[in-house]
Amino acid sequence: MNPVSAFTVVMLVWTVSDFVSKKTKSLLSSLFVASLIFIVGFKSNIFPEDLLTSSSMLTLGSTVVGLVLVHLGTTISISEFKQQWRTFLIGFFSVLGIVTALFLLGPLFESRNYSIAAMGAISGSTISVIMIQEKALSLGLLSVAVLPVLISAFQGVIGFPLTSIILRKEAQRLHQEYKAGNLKLTPKPKEDVNVKKTILPEALQTTAGTLFCLGLVVVISTLLII
């Protein structure tokens, strides 16, 4: 399929998904709607098999996702991270429990490779799935590469609407608490214009310099994982 046409079709799917999400007040998330559209489209052969490959979105995703994760990490201040130490411990021990359980149940599968591939999809996110898939494909393990993608898709089908419902109820609860006067808004502190917002040297305080630093961190992280 023509790359421009493929990219346009993918963007159309996301446009429709965002529209449905807004109309349902996020009861149906855009990710959930997009997942359903792609499933129906590929199963009914409305979408060509090479749609995503031709759109270059997969290549772009494998390149950009790492940069986005590093950027998100820089938005978390040390003081805020200390306040959220309980969240960190819950996440850490959850991942540890998942890894332990999968290794113990690994022998039940045909190969322990499947349990290793499942870890990234269950305890990680898109970047984990991409990394596992690329490694499995390089080793010729096609079925192992497919497993984390299936797990991630299945999680989305169940998780997206469930998350939307939970967040909507929490938002309604907070709104009622605020109307009742039980919640007070904390004024946002004014930013000090004299505070230095970056530790980068002046030569790297450009768009290209910042992207270079992000890419360098991603490369080092990838090498440490390998």
Side-chain angles (χ1 to χ4, degrees):
M1 189 176 185
N2 181 276
V4 177
S5 300
F7 180 82
T8 304
V9 171
V10 173
M11 289 301 102
L12 174 62
V13 171
W14 283 110
T15 302
V16 173
S17 302
D18 289 337
F19 176 78
V20 174
S21 178
K22 290 179 180 179
K23 285 298 182 180
T24 59
K25 296 183 179 179
S26 296
L27 182 62
L28 297 177
S29 69
S30 57
L31 289 174
F32 175 70
V33 176
S35 299
L36 290 181
I37 294 175
F38 280 121
I39 290 174
V40 174
F42 285 120
K43 285 293 184 181
S44 61
N45 295 323
I46 296 176
F47 295 156
E49 294 181 0
D50 63 340
L51 174 66
L52 297 178
T53 305
S54 299
S55 68
S56 301
M57 297 298 292
L58 297 178
T59 304
L60 179 64
S62 61
T63 304
V64 174
V65 169
L67 301 178
V68 172
L69 290 178
V70 173
H71 170 69
L72 289 176
T74 62
T75 61
I76 303 175
S77 64
I78 299 299
S79 59
E80 184 179 354
F81 185 75
K82 291 179 180 178
Q83 294 175 359
Q84 299 295 331
W85 63 272
R86 294 183 181 86
T87 304
F88 169 77
L89 289 180
I90 292 173
F92 175 78
F93 285 109
S94 297
V95 174
L96 185 62
I98 291 171
V99 171
T100 303
L102 287 173
F103 262 115
L104 292 176
L105 297 176
L108 299 178
F109 296 92
E110 180 182 352
S111 170
R112 193 175 291 272
N113 291 330
Y114 290 102
S115 61
I116 296 175
M119 291 177 192
I122 295 176
S123 61
S125 58
T126 305
I127 187 63
S128 302
V129 174
I130 292 175
M131 292 174 63
I132 292 174
Q133 189 177 34
E134 289 180 349
K135 188 63 177 180
L137 290 175
S138 67
L139 297 174
L141 304 174
L142 181 59
S143 58
V144 175
V146 172
L147 180 62
V149 179
L150 293 176
I151 293 176
S152 180
F154 185 71
Q155 284 179 325
V157 171
I158 297 177
F160 294 152
L162 184 61
T163 303
S164 296
I165 294 173
I166 294 174
L167 291 178
R168 189 177 184 184
K169 287 185 177 180
E170 178 64 11
Q172 291 174 346
R173 185 189 70 80
L174 293 175
H175 182 65
Q176 294 298 326
E177 290 286 335
Y178 176 73
K179 289 178 63 177
N182 298 326
L183 286 179
K184 294 183 179 180
L185 296 178
T186 303
K188 185 178 180 180
K190 295 182 179 179
E191 296 183 357
D192 188 354
V193 295
N194 297 321
V195 176
K196 188 178 180 180
K197 296 183 178 180
T198 178
I199 61 174
L200 295 178
E202 186 176 354
L204 295 176
Q205 293 180 22
T206 62
T207 302
T210 304
L211 290 175
F212 165 73
C213 294
L214 285 173
L216 186 61
V217 173
V218 174
V219 170
I220 294 174
S221 303
T222 304
L223 292 176
L224 291 175
I225 294 174
I226 297 175

